Amino acid sequence: MNKCIFLVVPFLFFGCSSLNTPNSLEQITFNIINNNTSKEISFNEFIDEILKYDIVLIGEEHNNHKHILVETKIIEALNSKKDVEVVLEMMSVDKQIKIDNAKINGYENKNLLKEIDWSDSWDKSYYKRLVLFIFNSKIDLVAGNLSKSEIQTIFNGAYPLQGKASTTFQVKEKIKDMIIDTSHKIDDTKTIDKFVQIQQYKDRRMADKLVSSNKTAILIAGKYHTRKDIGIPLHIEDFNKSKTFISIGLQTNIKNEYVDYSFKIK
């Protein structure tokens, strides 16, 4: 089992959607719903509303290219109004030094993903555009995920994560049900419990990066990580800091109570 852990974990929580590969935002349309008011708003109104938050959580389906385009548009709009940094689930923290070196020493666009040791687990054809935009816009890029060695340590047995809001029985059971629903090949209770722990440690690590930022921090992560009932929002609360945050869902068929804003992308 230990030999395949790194093949299983990265794909456990991927969203399911058809492959969409438009070349620009002009090829897609979307509607935005403020779930706190149940009203549809324009993109400019949306940006004005989220500007006041310290942390912006964007939940995506990892195999939907349209989501990359919308994320780029949101980052660009926020960066035009205030200093931001972007935290990526797709980069593990041990690669931060390579990200920083590429910033300092310069890079060629065609070789950037290789220079920062981008993992093949995340489709380069989707994410190259987003990463290049971040680098070329001089926006700080922060690696937000656990390293492979950390995941292995947790899987082999780590001290239980502590928290008031994030580690309740109800939250863990919801995550467990989600794992069972999205990965039908796993039926061993002990293994599922370990995956729950890994998921929560990932969320805690990303929350730590977000609350530690001195700028407006924008997270790009999978749709389960950004849900208010089971994900990073609960870990931000457990840090007991004054950081304000907002959760945005780009995926289809998400319950309104899970995120503050829903994008209906066509």
Side-chain angles (χ1 to χ4, degrees), residues 32 60 68 84 88 103 108 116 131 164 169 198 200 223 231 248 258:
I32 307 171
E60 67 167 25
I68 302 294
V84 303
L88 289 184
K103 285 275 191 180
E108 294 184 13
I116 64 175
V131 174
K164 184 176 181 181
F169 174 80
I198 290 169
Q200 292 217 293
K223 60 185 179 181
I248 301 160
Y258 291 166

Side-chain angles (χ1 to χ4, degrees), residues 38-135:
S38 299
K39 293 182 179 180
E40 183 174 332
I41 58 175
S42 69
F43 183 78
N44 288 338
E45 290 171 330
F46 162 74
I47 293 298
D48 288 340
E49 289 183 12
I50 68 173
L51 272 172
K52 62 185 177 182
Y53 293 97
D54 301 309
I55 298 170
V56 177
L57 309 171
I58 305 177
E60 67 167 25
E61 291 172 328
H62 294 310
N63 59 346
N64 192 324
H65 186 71
K66 292 181 179 180
H67 291 184
I68 302 294
L69 297 175
V70 173
E71 290 160 1
T72 302
K73 184 176 178 68
I74 294 172
I75 294 169
E76 182 179 29
L78 289 174
N79 188 52
S80 70
K81 297 178 180 292
K82 60 194 306 188
D83 290 335
V84 303
E85 68 178 27
V86 177
V87 179
L88 289 184
E89 175 198 358
M90 302 82 195
M91 295 291 295
S92 54
V93 293
D94 54 312
K95 297 179 180 180
Q96 186 66 54
I97 188 170
K98 295 186 178 182
I99 294 173
D100 296 340
N101 286 341
K103 285 275 191 180
I104 295 170
N105 300 325
Y107 55 90
E108 294 184 13
N109 285 354
K110 64 180 181 180
N111 296 326
L112 176 58
L113 294 187
K114 182 178 180 180
E115 290 185 27
I116 64 175
D117 195 17
W118 185 267
S119 171
D120 290 336
S121 298
W122 306 96
D123 195 326
K124 295 178 182 179
S125 67
Y126 288 130
Y127 291 102
K128 182 176 181 179
R129 177 178 183 148
L130 176 65
V131 174
L132 280 173
F133 171 78
I134 294 169
F135 265 79

Side-chain angles (χ1 to χ4, degrees), residues 148-164:
K148 288 183 178 181
S149 62
E150 289 175 317
I151 292 173
Q152 189 70 67
T153 297
I154 297 167
F155 189 84
N156 290 338
Y159 189 77
L161 197 64
Q162 301 297 305
K164 184 176 181 181

Side-chain angles (χ1 to χ4, degrees), residues 187-204:
D187 55 9
D188 176 66
T189 300
K190 289 184 178 180
T191 300
I192 293 173
D193 288 341
K194 290 180 179 180
F195 284 145
V196 170
Q197 192 174 26
I198 290 169
Q199 177 82 348
Q200 292 217 293
Y201 265 99
K202 286 184 174 186
D203 287 344
R204 180 64 61 84

